[in-house]
Amino acid sequence: QDNRFKDAHGLPDGNIFRMQVTGAGNHLLGQGAGQPVDLSDLRAFTSTTTGYNLSPNQPEAWWRTNVDLQNYFSWRAVDEAVNNTDIRDQENVVYFRDPLTGLWHLEPWDCDLLYEQFDRWGPEATQSTVPYEQIRRCLLVTNISVEFKNRARELQDLLLNSDQTWKLVDEYVSLITDGGPTLPGFVEADRRRW
């Protein structure tokens, strides 16, 4: 996700960051016009003194002023539904700050560990015990937690059920196998490649 991603998805020209504390470290993927170039906006958002890592927790007003909660609720609910076990604090996600609203939201990055039967990362992990992504701390606020549960229930009722989920699976299977009317499916594209 870079400046082209922002254009393609109708996002305003804010900063977009690849979050990877280990290894390469957090870095700017797409520089927004007139936005900080030194990661200071990101550091303030993730800080233990001004950001989401404040202990014991930020008040409700801070979360509403700094996080696109509706976007986060959808992201979190889908993340839980597909059991994405590779979401650690500031790892395997992209953070975007909307320069018009000042609100942050997450975009997925590394989605290769879905549907596992265990938690690879986290407090009770099988691979390494590390903190989960910490924006989830907003869910410790009662009013925000209720809103999240309502959004998760909406998605469950509308999409994550035995009727609609199979329709979605069938749609994606057709993309993989026959690709629809104008494109070869991934299977055929892979065959042609080799």
Side-chain angles (χ1 to χ4, degrees):
Q1 292 101 327
D2 54 17
N3 286 335
R4 291 173 299 185
F5 176 85
K6 293 184 290 186
D7 291 342
H9 290 84
L11 295 172
D13 195 17
N15 280 347
I16 191 163
F17 302 92
R18 165 77 162 98
M19 304 304 290
Q20 189 175 19
V21 173
T22 59
N26 298 336
H27 58 278
L28 191 61
L29 287 176
Q31 171 67 45
Q35 301 300 304
V37 297
D38 60 358
L39 305 184
S40 59
D41 49 348
L42 177 66
R43 287 189 190 103
F45 178 62
T46 61
S47 146
T48 58
T49 56
T50 61
Y52 66 62
N53 274 316
L54 179 71
S55 186
N57 199 14
Q58 289 284 9
E60 180 177 344
W62 185 93
W63 293 107
R64 294 192 186 283
T65 302
N66 290 282
V67 177
D68 181 344
L69 291 172
Q70 293 306 310
N71 183 292
Y72 180 74
F73 296 158
S74 297
W75 181 87
R76 167 61 45 209
V78 171
D79 201 58
E80 295 292 336
V82 298
N83 194 28
N84 185 354
T85 65
D86 200 11
I87 300 297
R88 295 160 274 162
D89 186 27
Q90 299 183 47
E91 196 76 35
N92 290 337
V93 291
V94 169
Y95 285 4
F96 172 74
R97 183 174 180 274
D98 186 320
L100 305 176
T101 65
L103 299 178
W104 291 83
H105 79 252
L106 289 90
E107 295 285 341
W109 177 272
D110 181 353
C111 298
D112 62 339
L113 297 175
L114 306 180
Y115 304 106
E116 292 188 303
Q117 70 274 23
F118 51 83
D119 287 332
R120 185 175 298 271
W121 305 97
E124 299 174 10
T126 59
Q127 185 168 333
S128 180
T129 55
V130 296
Y132 284 127
E133 66 85 11
Q134 294 297 292
I135 296 175
R136 75 182 325 147
R137 295 176 70 190
C138 70
L139 302 178
L140 297 173
V141 176
T142 302
N143 291 337
I144 294 174
S145 179
V146 169
E147 290 173 32
F148 165 68
K149 290 173 184 171
N150 288 338
R151 178 60 178 151
R153 193 174 304 107
E154 287 173 2
L155 288 172
Q156 181 178 356
D157 291 347
L158 296 173
L159 179 64
L160 304 173
N161 58 60
S162 59
D163 178 49
Q164 295 301 311
T165 297
W166 286 115
K167 290 177 182 175
L168 185 62
V169 168
D170 289 342
E171 184 178 328
Y172 278 97
V173 166
S174 73
L175 291 173
I176 293 168
T177 55
D178 65 11
T182 59
L183 295 171
F186 291 123
V187 172
E188 182 59 28
D190 189 54
R191 285 185 186 133
R192 291 179 188 181
R193 176 176 177 220
W194 296 107

